Amino acid sequence: MTVRTVRAYRRLSVEERRAQLLDAALSLFAHRAPEEISLDDVAEAAGVSRPLVYRYFPGGKQQLYEAALRSAADVLELCFAEPQAGPLTGRLSRVLDRYLAFVDEHDAGFAALLQGGSVVETSRTTATVDGIRRAAAEQILLHLDVPAPGPGPRLRMMVRTWITAVEAASLIWLDEGKQPEATTLRDWLVDQFIALLTATAATDPQTAAAARAALALEHPDGPAGLLARRVIPVVSEAAHLL
Amino acid sequence: MTVRTVRAYRRLSVEERRAQLLDAALSLFAHRAPEEISLDDVAEAAGVSRPLVYRYFPGGKQQLYEAALRSAADVLELCFAEPQAGPLTGRLSRVLDRYLAFVDEHDAGFAALLQGGSVVETSRTTATVDGIRRAAAEQILLHLDVPAPGPGPRLRMMVRTWITAVEAASLIWLDEGKQPEATTLRDWLVDQFIALLTATAATDPQTAAAARAALALEHPDGPAGLLARRVIPVVSEAAHLL
């Protein structure tokens, strides 16, 4: 067994070995809080010795965690890429499906990372998470297709608050044993986006233009049409406000 | 000078001295990141010696920070108390005014606390912040006055995501030099609440009942009336969705 392990060591290049250790670390960090994971666990999961892990990650668990987080961040940022075609709610739904699949797959690690107060949390891990949020906001703003000089502070604030709402909802979702179903949560988050965009449109001309353009592309049987028809009975009783 | 300081020491009871040290710590932690504050700063601000600070807070800076945070949390939770009378948007506006005044007053400390990755962040500080969020959610749910058996998961999730959106907007507001004006931010956050409540009402009967009851109490010249009249021109172009 030792001989075969040594052979396996030789077969992998430095880069391949690093990637293998990262993979092992990422799947451990995905499903347990960082506090619960030791370097021995990572070594065992990768089928290597603890000194070998240290050779690749001299900074130990902290360095492994940060590298695993960076690699998860790259995966997550790829989820945000979506062609700028078709109704906006369809694009948002597809991005949210990929995002929620990621959350589902990395549940415990995702929760530990975003809940804060973790032993491995540093200004670098916080910066990585902020980078993901910024990347998500930039992607959404691209889809809103605002003419030059680009999105103003109100539209940016709206998109950033929605992203935080998505994060918060994902954490609650994990906390409640992944209830309701991911597709139900996705539809509700899309509804929230339309609602926030419309409410912000009330006081910001740029958002109003973006909302008009987005609504014009929606289909009656899509999320915006469904939401509009369902909201009417609720607000129609408030005719005294008009 | 030494004699007078010694006299001043004697004049304060243990509880008074503790409160005085906490006050000094809180005003330091409010305006600078915890990383930038030393026990010497606290001792100097309180006009006492460093050993005296240690006598009251043997855990040093970490213990002082946690105690200051606990005392700030108590102040903040008081901001949430609001009589259950009048239109819901008026109640929310008054709570938000007090909350934003708190954010304004504790700017740097508030941002450092919520941005995470701070050296003083522990599972205890995270628990304190979560406790504030829970208290805020419970207060809002009280105002929505849902009949027994009380608010279900969707309404709870809606309220919790709005609270996170308020936090995120507050952080962006601090980051952008407190722009726009606090009252403008408050009005926008109230608009967001109405929008989220209405959008959630579309798919959750309990939220629909709460939204109907809340809208019935609103005045035409209040936030909900203003929002409704401003949203109509934006959505009226999307008549193809109905």
Side-chain angles (χ1 to χ4, degrees):
Chain A
M1 189 66 191
T2 310
V3 174
R4 294 181 70 185
T5 312
V6 171
R7 265 194 205 135
Y9 281 16
R10 292 228 175 100
R11 229 180 284 134
L12 294 182
S13 71
V14 170
E15 267 319 292
E16 284 167 339
R17 175 64 69 193
R18 195 176 180 278
Q20 183 217 12
L21 293 176
L22 260 186
D23 271 357
L26 187 54
S27 47
L28 287 171
F29 284 124
H31 297 297
R32 273 146 62 193
E35 284 74 5
E36 297 169 18
I37 293 165
S38 68
L39 267 203
D40 285 325
D41 295 330
V42 177
E44 195 189 323
V48 303
S49 68
R50 187 186 160 94
L52 186 83
V53 179
Y54 264 115
R55 206 181 310 151
Y56 280 81
F57 296 95
K61 181 163 127 177
Q62 184 68 35
Q63 193 189 354
L64 251 177
Y65 181 80
E66 289 178 16
L69 176 62
R70 188 58 258 161
S71 113
D74 292 341
V75 171
L76 192 49
E77 286 182 19
L78 282 178
C79 294
F80 302 149
E82 175 66 31
Q84 284 174 258
L88 184 67
T89 54
R91 307 183 212 171
L92 276 181
S93 297
R94 287 186 291 273
V95 170
L96 281 169
D97 280 341
R98 291 192 290 266
Y99 171 80
L100 291 173
F102 179 94
V103 172
D104 188 16
E105 204 179 315
H106 299 82
D107 41 21
F110 181 86
L113 177 66
L114 289 188
Q115 266 150 8
S118 154
V119 289
V120 291
E121 189 179 333
T122 63
S123 55
R124 280 189 302 277
T125 62
T126 309
T128 302
V129 174
D130 279 345
I132 302 172
R133 287 184 186 127
R134 261 197 307 278
E138 289 310 319
Q139 280 299 318
I140 293 171
L141 288 168
L142 270 182
H143 286 279
L144 287 172
D145 201 20
V146 177
R154 197 61 68 88
L155 193 49
R156 290 189 168 276
M157 200 187 242
M158 181 249 132
V159 167
R160 285 169 71 185
T161 54
W162 181 73
I163 287 168
T164 319
V166 170
E167 267 180 42
S170 310
L171 283 175
I172 299 170
W173 183 66
L174 290 177
D175 204 38
E176 298 192 342
K178 304 185 182 175
Q179 287 300 320
E181 267 189 56
T183 51
T184 307
L185 179 62
R186 172 206 66 199
D187 290 343
W188 182 59
L189 292 170
V190 171
D191 284 353
Q192 284 205 8
F193 187 88
I194 306 170
L196 290 181
L197 187 71
T198 313
T200 307
T203 48
D204 182 56
Q206 186 183 52
T207 307
R212 281 196 175 94
L215 289 175
L217 288 179
E218 293 292 320
H219 294 307
D221 54 352
L226 211 55
L227 177 64
R229 290 195 300 279
R230 282 172 171 166
V231 156
I232 285 172
V234 179
V235 296
S236 63
E237 285 179 31
H240 66 287
L241 297 179
L242 301 179
Chain B
M1 190 63 192
T2 310
V3 174
R4 293 180 70 186
T5 312
V6 170
R7 266 195 207 134
Y9 281 15
R10 291 226 176 100
R11 227 178 287 133
L12 296 182
S13 71
V14 169
E15 267 318 294
E16 285 166 338
R17 175 64 71 194
R18 196 175 180 278
Q20 182 216 13
L21 293 176
L22 260 187
D23 270 356
L26 187 55
S27 46
L28 287 171
F29 284 124
H31 297 297
R32 274 144 64 193
E35 283 73 7
E36 297 168 19
I37 293 167
S38 69
L39 268 204
D40 285 325
D41 295 330
V42 177
E44 196 189 322
V48 303
S49 67
R50 187 187 160 93
L52 186 82
V53 179
Y54 264 114
R55 205 181 311 152
Y56 281 80
F57 296 94
K61 182 164 127 176
Q62 184 67 35
Q63 193 190 356
L64 250 177
Y65 181 80
E66 288 177 17
L69 176 61
R70 189 58 258 160
S71 113
D74 293 341
V75 171
L76 193 48
E77 287 181 19
L78 281 179
C79 294
F80 302 150
E82 174 67 29
Q84 283 173 260
L88 183 66
T89 54
R91 307 183 212 171
L92 275 181
S93 297
R94 288 186 290 275
V95 171
L96 281 170
D97 280 341
R98 292 192 290 267
Y99 171 79
L100 291 173
F102 179 94
V103 172
D104 188 16
E105 204 179 315
H106 299 81
D107 39 22
F110 180 87
L113 177 66
L114 290 188
Q115 267 150 8
S118 153
V119 289
V120 290
E121 190 179 331
T122 63
S123 55
R124 279 189 304 276
T125 62
T126 310
T128 302
V129 174
D130 280 344
I132 301 172
R133 287 184 187 127
R134 260 197 307 277
E138 289 311 317
Q139 279 300 317
I140 293 171
L141 288 168
L142 270 183
H143 287 279
L144 288 173
D145 201 19
V146 177
R154 197 61 67 88
L155 192 51
R156 289 189 168 275
M157 201 187 241
M158 181 251 132
V159 168
R160 285 169 71 185
T161 54
W162 181 73
I163 287 168
T164 320
V166 170
E167 267 181 42
S170 309
L171 283 175
I172 298 171
W173 182 66
L174 290 177
D175 204 39
E176 298 192 342
K178 303 184 182 176
Q179 288 301 318
E181 268 190 54
T183 51
T184 307
L185 179 62
R186 173 205 66 201
D187 290 343
W188 182 60
L189 292 170
V190 171
D191 284 354
Q192 285 203 8
F193 187 89
I194 306 169
L196 291 181
L197 187 71
T198 313
T200 308
T203 48
D204 182 55
Q206 185 183 52
T207 308
R212 280 195 176 95
L215 288 175
L217 288 180
E218 293 292 319
H219 294 306
D221 54 352
L226 212 55
L227 178 64
R229 291 194 300 279
R230 282 172 170 165
V231 156
I232 286 171
V234 179
V235 296
S236 64
E237 286 179 30
H240 67 287
L241 296 179
L242 300 180

